[in-house]
Amino acid sequence: MRVGTAKESYAADEGLFKTDTQKVWFGLLMAGLLLFPLNGSNYWMFLAVLVMINVISTTGLNILTGYTGQVSLGHAAFMAVGAYTVAFFDGRFDTPVLLNLVLAGAVAAGIGYLVGLPSLRIKGLYLAIATLAASVILGFVFLNWTPVTGGLRGLNVPTATIAGIELATPDRLYWLVMPICVVMVLAAKNLFRTRVGRAFIAIRDRDISAEIIGISLFKYKLMSFAISSFYAGVAGGLWAYLFRVVTPESFPALASIFFLAAVIVGGAGTIVGGIFGAVFMTLIPEFLKLSATALVPWFPDASIYLAPVRNIIFGLLIIGFLIFEPMGLAEMWRRTRRYFALWPFRT
Amino acid sequence: MAIEFIDIVETSLAGLGTGSLMALTGVAFVIIYKATKVINLAIGEMLMIGAFVFYGFSASLALPIWASVPLTLAVSAVIGGVIERTMIRPLLKDNPVSVFMVTIGLTSVLIGVVELIWSAEPRRLPEFLPSQPVIIADAFIPSKTAYSFLIAAAAMAVLITVFSFWRGGIALRATATDRAAASSVGIDVPGVFSFSWMLAATVAALAGILVGSVGGISSAMGLFGLSVFVVVIVGGLDSILGALIAGLFIGWLEAMVGRFLGGEFKLLATFSILLVVLVVRPYGLFGTHEIERL
Amino acid sequence: MSPLHPAAPVRPPAARLDVENLSLQFGGVKALDGIDLNVAPGSITALIGPNGAGKTSAFNSISGFYKPKTGTVRLDGEDITAVPARDRAKLGLARTFQNIALFRGMTVLDNIKLGRHAHLTAGVFDAFLYWGKAKREEMELRAEVERDVIDFLELDHIRNVPVAILPYGLQKKVELARALAMRPRILMLDEPVAGMNREETEDMARAILDVREEWGVTVLLVEHDMGMVMDISDHVCVLNFGRRIAAGTPEEVRNNPDVIKAYLGSSGDPRRAAEGHAPVGEVA
Ligand SMILES: Nc1ncnc2c1ncn2[C@@H]1O[C@H](COP(=O)(O)OP(=O)(O)OP(=O)(O)O)[C@@H](O)[C@H]1O
Ligand SMILES: [Mg+2]
C-alpha cells in the first residue's frame, strides 16, 4: 500500500524509477551495456550500434506518435536530414563530432518545426499527410540540391574522430552511440514526469479538454514535432558515422514505416516500448537473413525472397499488434512480470 | 525555345488522361472514406494488386480479355472484402489513428506479396486497347491514354448513377451521413462497410488495369497512390465530385510540370499544392467542414 | 517551513461573471438568442431548461469554444469575449463537460495534475533534465494536489488508477477534481450528477457546497436534477429555445408560469421533480 502523506513518499513516487524492481532492471541493463563489447564480435557490435541508433530514432517517433498522438509518415526523412547535416559539416568544415550531432538534431528539429506549422490549422490525420508531403519535398531537395547534398551520388562521411581517436569500427563507435542513447532515452523519460510531457499526452487523449485547461495545442504540437525530429536528426547523424555514406536512397519511405512499426510493436506511449520495438524490429531482418542462409540447401534462392518476406512481416506485425496487442511488447512484458510476481499464487 | 501551342494541347490532353485514372482511384478512396471514415493509405497498393491479378489472368494464364477483366474485378472485390473483415472491422470502433496505421501496414504487406509472387521486376500487360492513335483537331493522343480516359469516364458515370438511384448506393450515403440513424432505419451498417471496401477494391483494380496498360506494372506502381492522395485532399475526402475535378486537375498539372520543367518536379509540384490546400482549406474544395461537437 | 508545504493553499477570490445579449447560431438553428446571465461572486447559480434549450451552448460560448454571433462575456467586469479558450484557464475559468472529457490514457493523479498546467512554468529543457525548477515545481504540485484536491474529494484510493476503468460517477468526480486543480475563481459544471444514483448525487451535491464554502469560488451549473438545483442554488436562470424565460431565486422560478409551461411542454414539471427529489415511482 502506497501512502501519500509524508513528503518523502511523494519524492519516491515521483522518481525516475518508481520501484526497487525497476532500479534493479535498470542497473542490470547498464551493466549489460558496459559488458556487451566483451563479446568481441564485429558483427554483434555493428548490430548493437545499429540497434541503439534505432532506439534513439524510435524514441523520437514515440514522443510524437505514441505520446502526442500525431502520426508521422516522414520520420526517416528527418533522419536523413541529420545524416546529411553531419556529412556536410564534418566533410566540409571538419567540425567536432559532438557539435555535428547537435547540429544534426537542431537542423532536423528546425525542419520538424516547419512541418508542424500546418497544425495551426489542421488536425488529426491531415497532419500525417502533411508529413508525407514534407518527406516527398525533402526527398526532392536531397536529390537536386547537389552542391550541398551531392545529388544522386550523395556524400561520403569522414570517420568520427574524438580527441584524436578514430571511431572507425563499430566497437569504437559503440562508446559514442551508447552513452548518447542512454542519455536521450532517460531525457525522454524525464520529459513525461513534467508538465510538458503531460501536455503531450493530453493532446493525444482529448485535445478539446487540453485546450480548456490552458494547453496551447499549437505550441505543444510544434514542440513535439521539433523534439521528435531532434531525436531523428541525432540518430541520422550517428547513422552517417556508422555507414560513412549518405545518399537519397539511404532513408527510403519504407524506413518511415519501419519506425512506425517499431513504435507500435514495442508499445506506443511507453519509453520501454520504444526500446523493445527498436530492438525487435532491427533484429527481425537479421533473423530472416540467418533463416534464409540456413534454408539454402533446400531452397537455393531463398535469399531472393528476403526483401518481400521482410515487407510482409513488417506489415503483418503492425496490423497484428494493433488488433491483438495495441499496447505492444511493453504490455506483454508487464504481464509476464506480474505473472511471475504473483507466482506461485501470491497476491 | 518557344513553347508551341500544339505541345501544350497535347500535353494537356495526355494529362487529363492520367488525371481521369487518378480521379477514378480517388473515387475508390472516397467510397471507403464515406462509408467507414477510414483514410486508406493503401489505395495505391490496392490498385497495384488489381493490376497484378489482371496480369496473372491475362498473361500468366493467357485468358482472353473478356474473361480476365471480370475475373480480376471479382477477385479484387474478394480481396477488398477480406481486408475489411479481417483488418479494418476489428478496429473501426477504436480511434481513427489505429485504423490509419493498419492501412500503412497493409501497404507493406501488399508490396511484399506482389514481390513474393511476381518479383520486383517491372512487367508489361498484354496489349488489349486499340493501337490507332486518336487525333483531335491537330493534337495527337496516344491511343491507350485516350481509351483509358473513355473507360474511366464510363466507369465513373456508372458509379455516380448507381450511387444516386440504387438502394445500396443510398444506404451507403445514409451510413456516411449518420451511422446510428442509418442503422435505426434498418440499414445493415456492417454490410455497408464490407460493400464499400469491396466496391472500392474493384474500382481501384479497374484503375490499376488501365494504369498498367498505359505505363506497365511493377511493385512500385503503388506510388501512383501518392498523387491520388493529393487528389482526395484537394477535392475533399468525402466528395466524389471533388475527386473527379481534383483528379483531372492534378493529372493535368503533373503532365504540364513534367513536360515543361522536368519529371523530377512532378511530385514536388503536387505536394506543394497539397501543403497549400492543407493550410488554406484543410477540408478540400468540396469536402464537408464538420463542426466539432463537444 | 518546507517548500513542499506552503503555508496555505492559494485561494484566489471568487469571480463575478456577466453575460450580455449572447447569440449563437448553427446553420439555421438559433442555439442562443440574446441571453443575459449574471452570476454573483461566491454564489451557486443554476442554468436550467429542457433538452436542447441551449445550456451547453451557453457554456461553450462562455468558455470560448464557440464564437458567439453577438454578445459579451465579462469576468469581474473585464471583457473576455475575444480571449481564446486556452487563455481563459489562467484567468480562473474552470469547467467540466456534459460528456466526460478526461484524458483516458492517464491516471487520476495525472489528470488532476494537468489541471494546474497553466500555472506551471517549467520549459522543455528543464523537463529533459528534471532538475532544479522542473523538479521543485513537480514536488510542490504533488503536495498541493494531494492536500487540496485528492484529500478534499476523497480520491486517495484511486489516484494511480487509469481513469478509463473508473465507473461513471467517479469519472465525474475526477473531472471536478481536475477543474479544482485549475485554481478556479469560477467553476462551471455541465450536468455534474447526470446518470448518477441518489447516493452519488448527494455526495456530489455536498462536494459542490463544500467547494463553495472552503474554496470560496463561484459556481455556475447546468443540471436537470431539479431536486438538487432547488436545494443548493442561490439563483436560477431558465432557458428555453435559446431564450432566457425566467431568472430569480429557486422559489420564484419554480412558480413562474412560463417555466412550468416550458417544462410541461417538454420533459416534465420542475415542481414535481423538485418535491420528490427523485422521479415518480422510485422509492427513496
Ligand atoms: N455543434 C453543433 N452543431 C449544430 N447544432 C448544435 C451544435 N451544438 C448544439 N447544437 C444545437 O443547438 C441547440 C442547443 O443545444 P445545447 O447542446 O446547447 O442544448 P442543452 O440545453 O445543453 O441540451 P441538453 O440538456 O440536452 O444537454 C440544439 O438544438 C442542438 O441541436
Ligand atoms: Mg447540454
Side-chain angles (χ1 to χ4, degrees):
Chain A
M1 181 76 223
R2 210 176 273 143
V3 184
T5 42
K7 69 183 176 198
E8 297 78 38
S9 74
Y10 295 148
D13 209 29
E14 298 285 327
L16 188 56
F17 302 106
K18 291 210 171 76
T19 62
D20 288 342
T21 337
Q22 281 179 341
K23 283 178 198 154
V24 171
W25 277 113
F26 182 69
L28 285 176
L29 180 67
M30 285 299 109
L33 286 177
L34 289 174
L35 296 178
F36 186 79
L38 292 180
N39 77 66
S41 142
N42 238 328
Y43 173 71
W44 281 108
M45 291 311 287
F46 169 80
L47 221 50
V49 171
L50 189 60
V51 162
M52 288 187 294
I53 290 171
N54 286 342
V55 166
I56 297 174
S57 187
T58 306
T59 302
L61 185 59
N62 204 358
I63 291 173
L64 182 65
T65 301
Y67 282 102
T68 320
Q70 312 298 312
V71 181
S72 169
L73 298 172
H75 199 63
F78 294 111
M79 272 184 92
V81 168
Y84 274 111
T85 307
V86 160
F88 179 77
F89 281 101
D90 206 330
R92 201 65 72 83
F93 306 110
D94 205 15
T95 36
V97 169
L98 289 180
L99 175 65
N100 295 335
L101 290 172
V102 171
L103 284 172
V107 173
I111 296 178
Y113 191 88
L114 286 181
V115 173
L117 276 180
S119 66
L120 179 62
R121 299 256 322 175
I122 62 183
K123 44 200 298 187
L125 294 173
Y126 282 92
L127 212 50
I129 312 223
T131 64
L132 184 66
S135 76
V136 169
I137 291 170
L138 282 174
F140 177 83
V141 171
F142 298 146
L143 197 57
N144 292 289
W145 197 17
T146 314
V148 173
T149 63
L152 191 58
R153 304 235 309 281
L155 296 174
N156 287 319
V157 185
T159 316
T161 308
I162 292 184
I165 305 172
E166 294 213 332
L167 309 178
T169 49
D171 59 327
R172 292 193 176 175
L173 216 44
Y174 183 89
W175 297 106
L176 174 67
V177 176
M178 189 268 282
I180 293 180
C181 179
V182 170
V183 166
M184 289 182 80
V185 168
L186 287 180
K189 182 113 179 117
N190 273 340
L191 188 64
F192 293 98
R193 299 161 71 197
T194 67
R195 74 191 276 267
V196 179
R198 281 196 301 267
F200 289 173
I201 306 177
I203 290 173
R204 175 194 72 192
D205 279 1
R206 194 89 188 211
D207 55 11
I208 299 166
S209 30
E211 193 122 40
I212 203 70
I213 55 178
I215 293 172
S216 160
L217 298 183
F218 184 49
K219 176 178 160 193
Y220 282 94
K221 275 187 193 172
L222 280 188
M223 199 188 279
S224 184
F225 262 101
I227 293 174
S228 152
S229 312
F230 181 88
Y231 274 68
V234 172
L238 293 170
W239 189 97
Y241 281 127
L242 179 64
F243 287 90
R244 308 280 302 282
V245 61
V246 190
T247 74
E249 302 287 299
S250 298
F251 298 93
L254 193 71
S256 291
I257 298 189
F258 172 92
F259 288 109
L260 267 181
V263 167
I264 293 164
V265 169
T270 55
I271 295 292
V272 274
I275 301 174
F276 284 153
V279 175
F280 186 75
M281 292 301 291
T282 314
L283 294 183
I284 280 188
E286 297 304 318
F287 172 75
L288 288 178
K289 258 184 235 166
L290 286 181
S291 327
T293 323
L295 284 175
V296 162
W298 296 278
F299 303 100
D301 33 276
S303 65
I304 314 179
Y305 298 116
L306 217 60
V309 169
R310 196 193 54 192
N311 282 344
I312 296 177
I313 290 185
F314 280 6
L316 286 181
L317 279 171
I318 295 184
I319 298 168
F321 269 91
L322 281 170
I323 296 177
F324 298 111
E325 189 67 87
M327 308 291 281
L329 292 171
E331 175 65 18
M332 293 165 88
W333 162 245
R334 205 184 60 82
R335 272 205 306 268
T336 318
R337 263 190 357 221
R338 211 177 40 195
Y339 174 79
F340 282 108
L342 297 178
W343 187 86
F345 320 119
R346 265 186 289 145
T347 48
Chain B
M1 186 192 82
I3 295 171
E4 285 197 39
F5 178 68
I6 191 74
D7 198 358
I8 296 181
V9 174
E10 285 182 354
T11 310
S12 298
L13 290 175
L16 292 180
T18 320
S20 67
L21 299 180
M22 290 181 182
L24 187 60
T25 320
V27 168
F29 178 98
V30 171
I31 292 173
I32 287 178
Y33 184 81
K34 263 177 135 32
T36 56
K37 293 281 177 295
V38 173
I39 295 188
N40 179 13
L41 202 74
I43 193 73
E45 280 68 26
M46 287 170 64
L47 171 147
M48 169 191 73
I49 200 102
F52 272 92
V53 169
F54 179 71
Y55 177 84
F57 284 123
S58 64
S60 309
L61 299 180
L63 295 181
I65 297 305
W66 57 261
S68 300
V69 172
L71 279 174
T72 302
L73 299 186
V75 169
S76 300
V78 172
I79 294 175
V82 169
I83 291 173
E84 193 277 333
R85 203 66 192 79
T86 58
M87 303 175 184
I88 307 298
R89 182 87 59 85
L91 287 174
L92 270 186
K93 284 203 191 67
D94 279 32
N95 62 20
V97 175
S98 303
V99 195
F100 178 68
M101 293 205 276
V102 161
T103 69
I104 297 175
L106 184 59
T107 312
S108 191
V109 172
L110 291 178
I111 293 178
V113 167
V114 162
E115 291 187 351
L116 194 62
I117 304 179
W118 288 285
S119 88
E121 300 268 300
R123 284 155 200 271
R124 299 197 59 78
L125 291 178
E127 306 282 335
F128 65 95
L129 295 170
S131 57
Q132 198 65 248
V134 177
I135 295 173
I136 302 178
D138 272 343
F140 171 97
I141 315 167
S143 68
K144 289 172 181 168
T145 310
Y147 285 104
S148 55
F149 178 88
L150 291 179
I151 297 175
M156 285 186 289
V158 170
L159 277 174
I160 290 173
T161 318
V162 161
F163 275 125
S164 318
F165 301 113
W166 178 56
R167 269 181 56 235
I170 294 163
L172 196 152
R173 288 210 315 258
T175 308
T177 318
D178 188 339
R179 271 182 210 174
S183 150
S184 70
V185 297
I187 291 173
D188 172 18
V189 171
V192 170
F193 291 165
S194 285
F195 171 72
S196 70
W197 276 79
M198 293 170 71
L199 180 64
T202 314
V203 174
L206 179 63
I209 297 173
L210 296 173
V211 171
S213 67
V214 175
I217 60 174
S218 82
S219 63
M221 76 187 283
L223 284 181
F224 188 76
L226 280 186
S227 305
V228 173
F229 237 57
V230 178
V231 165
V232 292
I233 297 277
V234 171
L237 292 181
D238 59 354
S239 165
I240 301 246
L241 178 69
L244 292 185
I245 293 174
L248 292 175
F249 170 67
I250 297 289
W252 172 80
L253 182 82
E254 282 198 359
M256 295 298 273
V257 168
R259 173 70 185 83
F260 298 110
L261 291 179
E264 70 270 29
F265 286 93
K266 274 190 191 174
L267 276 185
L268 183 71
T270 41
F271 274 83
S272 306
I273 293 219
L274 170 67
L275 279 185
V276 171
V277 169
L278 278 181
V279 173
V280 178
R281 207 177 154 85
Y283 40 94
L285 297 177
F286 301 96
T288 317
H289 182 38
E290 287 186 10
I291 304 173
E292 234 174 320
R293 269 185 184 257
L294 297 172
Chain C
M1 175 125 301
S2 153
L4 294 182
H5 287 277
V10 189
R11 297 273 155 86
R16 151 172 208 92
L17 180 76
D18 298 284
V19 173
E20 212 174 287
N21 190 29
L22 199 62
S23 301
L24 179 74
Q25 207 154 344
F26 295 108
V29 182
K30 276 191 178 166
L32 296 174
D33 192 0
I35 66 159
D36 295 327
L37 177 67
N38 304 84
V39 183
S43 70
I44 294 182
T45 301
L47 189 59
I48 64 170
N51 291 107
K55 306 176 296 290
T56 300
S57 300
F59 261 39
N60 287 338
S61 305
I62 294 171
S63 54
F65 278 125
Y66 292 160
K67 206 181 155 341
K69 207 173 77 185
T70 66
T72 50
V73 180
R74 278 178 228 280
L75 192 66
D76 279 341
E78 193 190 337
D79 187 345
I80 59 164
T81 321
V83 177
R86 62 170 179 279
D87 294 335
R88 298 187 192 197
K90 219 171 166 177
L91 299 175
L93 205 70
R95 72 172 279 189
T96 65
F97 291 83
Q98 181 171 357
N99 308 309
I100 295 174
L102 287 167
F103 305 109
R104 298 178 58 79
M106 302 174 104
T107 62
V108 170
L109 183 59
D110 278 339
N111 266 281
I112 298 173
K113 278 180 178 171
L114 263 164
R116 190 60 61 80
H117 179 90
H119 294 280
L120 304 178
T121 56
V124 63
F125 294 105
D126 303 313
F128 274 130
L129 296 174
Y130 201 78
W131 210 298
K133 187 176 186 182
K135 182 167 182 182
R136 202 168 50 240
E137 207 174 67
E138 287 300 319
M139 286 320 198
E140 278 171 22
L141 169 63
R142 177 71 192 268
E144 271 179 54
V145 156
E146 287 284 346
R147 185 192 53 213
D148 296 350
V149 181
I150 294 190
D151 281 356
F152 180 70
L153 291 178
E154 295 164 12
L155 297 170
D156 311 57
H157 57 297
I158 52 164
R159 68 161 79 70
N160 289 313
V161 177
V163 289
I165 64 171
L166 290 177
Y168 185 81
L170 272 180
Q171 290 197 14
K172 285 248 160 196
K173 211 163 167 187
V174 175
E175 240 199 334
L176 173 64
R178 184 179 69 189
L180 285 181
M182 294 170 72
R183 293 194 177 136
R185 301 200 299 134
I186 175 156
L187 189 61
M188 296 167 54
L189 309 173
D190 198 346
E191 306 204 6
V193 303
M196 287 188 174
N197 62 28
R198 279 193 52 92
E199 209 172 313
E200 288 170 325
T201 302
E202 277 169 14
D203 191 41
M204 181 59 91
R206 208 169 310 118
I208 294 172
L209 286 170
D210 285 352
V211 165
R212 195 255 302 258
E213 208 62 35
E214 292 203 16
W215 291 59
V217 298
T218 311
V219 177
L220 173 61
L221 78 142
V222 164
E223 190 42 70
H224 282 292
D225 183 324
M226 288 310 145
M228 166 164 158
V229 167
M230 298 300 162
D231 272 359
I232 70 171
S233 32
D234 309 311
H235 189 83
V236 179
C237 171
V238 190
L239 297 185
N240 194 20
F241 294 117
R243 290 168 178 273
R244 190 176 90 170
I245 55 169
T249 62
E251 200 55 36
E252 287 163 6
V253 164
R254 192 197 316 221
N255 297 316
N256 182 315
D258 286 340
V259 176
I260 295 169
K261 210 166 74 200
Y263 271 84
L264 283 179
S266 61
S267 52
D269 182 347
R271 283 180 304 182
R272 203 167 56 198
E275 280 148 16
H277 269 218
V280 185
E282 197 181 294
V283 185

